[in-house]
Amino acid sequence: MKIKAAVLPEHKSKFTVKTIDLEEPRADEILVKIVATGICHTDIAVANQDMPFPIPGILGHEGAGIVEKIGANIKKVAVGDHVVLAPGSCGICEECISGHPSYCLEAFVLNLRGTRADGSAPYTDNHQKVHGFFFNQSSFATYSLTNESSVIKVPKEVDLALLGPLGCGIQTGAGTVLNVAKPQAGDSIAVTGVGPVGIAAIMAAKVVGCTTIIAIDINEERLAFAKTLGATHTINSKQIPAVAQYIHENLLPNGLHHAVDTTAISPVINELVKAMRKNGTVYTLGVMRAGGKLEVDYLPFSKGVSIRSVIEGDSIPDLFIPKLIQLYVDGLFPFDKMIKFYELEQINQAVADAENGITLKPIIRMPH
């Protein structure tokens, strides 16, 4: 079939929207008609060659759409179901069966290799291979080919065009708080970098009853926005670079219970480490540039402080994404306030707006 897709022709280039060919789904595959897909920092990181993915390729990994066709072996969804797409997992390795599919031992093969397991590529442009299956979906396209591990059935009553970012960025921020940190009501938490992942973490912290929620960034507009969604305090780290000292002297003499970093910037993480109370934990979510190193002062570790990296909020998407949708429906998780819609032909403008801090969460609507 003919589909439209935003293809990355080479690294550090702009996307080219073109018509390409897509094979019919195999027995274990699902064809999803993409309604809309979010743009995530990880898409930009791949385009900038900070993460590996073969080119030319179709990126996009926050897709939401309607099941168009299913292979003979598919039992999980039916044609016409509304679905959100999440990263692929094998379902049978020890990480998957113990409830941690984000750490699947086959994650690289399923999400970043760019082909099926047998090396074939269902996407072609004038008979030339185009790499797909980015995060098992490649949703910068009008149609996506995926499998059962990546489809999460969602209610038809909720606007499907809003839901794609729940599959990655939003579940990453919210899941880190709700699934991993698990703060108690009354706990304190700080979030560095209040982009969409950080905002999701802030909203989740409010849901569970954290009473001190500190948003840290260098963008005053984003800090003000974070306050409308749950932050109780803000710190502009450009104006107050000694963040840890400020927290100890002005907000929490004993330090933070929890901290979430979305920046992957070593000095920023180090300030969080110094701001922690005894046995506090810093959770790191960001994508660090290739070859980057994390360096922190050792002395705070004498207080039992720990650092833990978290992937995709350590979520089980089939369970967690419906919970986030219900929180949204109940008015407790208004992630839609971050969103701005763009058309597929505007994808390069959407990427630029995300990189320049103009738009928190761009979503690309697909033409049909």
Side-chain angles (χ1 to χ4, degrees), residues 44 48 350-359:
I44 299 171
N48 292 337
V351 169
D353 288 353
E355 287 190 294
N356 294 326
I358 295 170
T359 301

Side-chain angles (χ1 to χ4, degrees), residues 38 79 98 153 182 199 223 260 300 333:
V79 171
S98 63
K153 189 175 175 179
K182 298 180 179 178
I199 290 290
L223 290 171
V260 176
F333 193 76

Side-chain angles (χ1 to χ4, degrees), residues 113-367:
R113 188 166 65 177
T115 65
R116 294 186 176 104
D118 64 6
S120 64
Y123 302 89
T124 53
D125 179 16
N126 290 325
H127 305 291
Q128 298 298 311
K129 177 193 291 187
V130 177
H131 296 91
F133 296 106
F134 182 62
F135 280 66
N136 207 33
Q137 59 183 274
S138 286
S139 54
F140 285 170
T142 50
Y143 289 86
S144 176
L145 206 56
T146 185
N147 59 37
E148 287 188 326
S149 72
S150 289
V151 291
I152 296 89
K153 189 175 175 179
V154 297
K156 293 183 178 180
E157 297 76 24
V158 184
D159 185 359
L160 188 57
L162 293 172
L163 301 183
L166 297 178
C168 183
I170 291 176
Q171 83 161 344
T172 295
T176 297
V177 174
L178 299 177
N179 301 330
V180 185
K182 298 180 179 178
Q184 301 296 307
D187 276 2
S188 58
I189 188 169
V191 178
T192 49
V194 287
V197 176
I199 290 290
I202 287 168
M203 291 190 295
K206 182 181 179 182
V207 165
V208 297
C210 288
T211 49
T212 301
I213 305 172
I214 306 169
I216 304 168
D217 205 296
I218 60 173
N219 185 315
E220 279 294 339
E221 289 184 3
R222 289 195 174 190
L223 290 171
F225 183 65
K227 267 208 157 182
T228 69
L229 293 177
T232 59
H233 302 79
T234 61
I235 299 174
N236 186 320
S237 54
K238 193 172 185 178
Q239 299 172 3
I240 306 173
V243 168
Q245 180 180 345
Y246 181 86
I247 290 174
H248 284 297
E249 292 181 355
N250 297 280
L251 300 176
L252 299 162
N254 293 329
L256 293 158
H257 292 95
H258 317 276
V260 176
D261 174 71
T262 70
T263 70
I265 298 171
S266 184
V268 174
I269 297 170
N270 197 35
E271 283 297 312
L272 290 181
V273 169
K274 292 188 289 185
M276 304 309 294
R277 65 168 53 206
K278 290 185 177 181
N279 293 317
T281 302
V282 178
Y283 301 93
T284 63
L285 319 183
V287 177
M288 189 171 285
R289 291 186 180 277
K293 295 181 180 180
L294 174 59
E295 296 180 355
V296 296
D297 295 342
Y298 184 76
L299 184 60
F301 287 91
S302 65
K303 300 188 299 183
V305 173
S306 58
I307 301 176
R308 176 178 174 181
S309 67
V310 183
I311 299 174
E312 295 290 342
D314 198 8
S315 304
I316 301 174
D318 284 295
L319 300 178
F320 190 61
I321 289 174
K323 289 180 181 179
L324 291 180
I325 293 173
Q326 190 60 54
L327 286 172
Y328 166 69
V329 170
D330 292 342
L332 300 174
F333 193 76
F335 71 93
D336 58 322
K337 293 184 178 180
M338 294 189 280
I339 288 167
K340 180 178 177 181
F341 287 104
Y342 296 78
E343 301 304 316
L344 180 58
E345 299 288 345
Q346 298 174 302
I347 188 168
N348 290 308
Q349 184 63 55
V351 169
D353 288 353
E355 287 190 294
N356 294 326
I358 295 170
T359 301
L360 268 170
K361 174 52 69 174
I363 291 184
I364 303 296
R365 288 186 187 270
M366 292 298 160

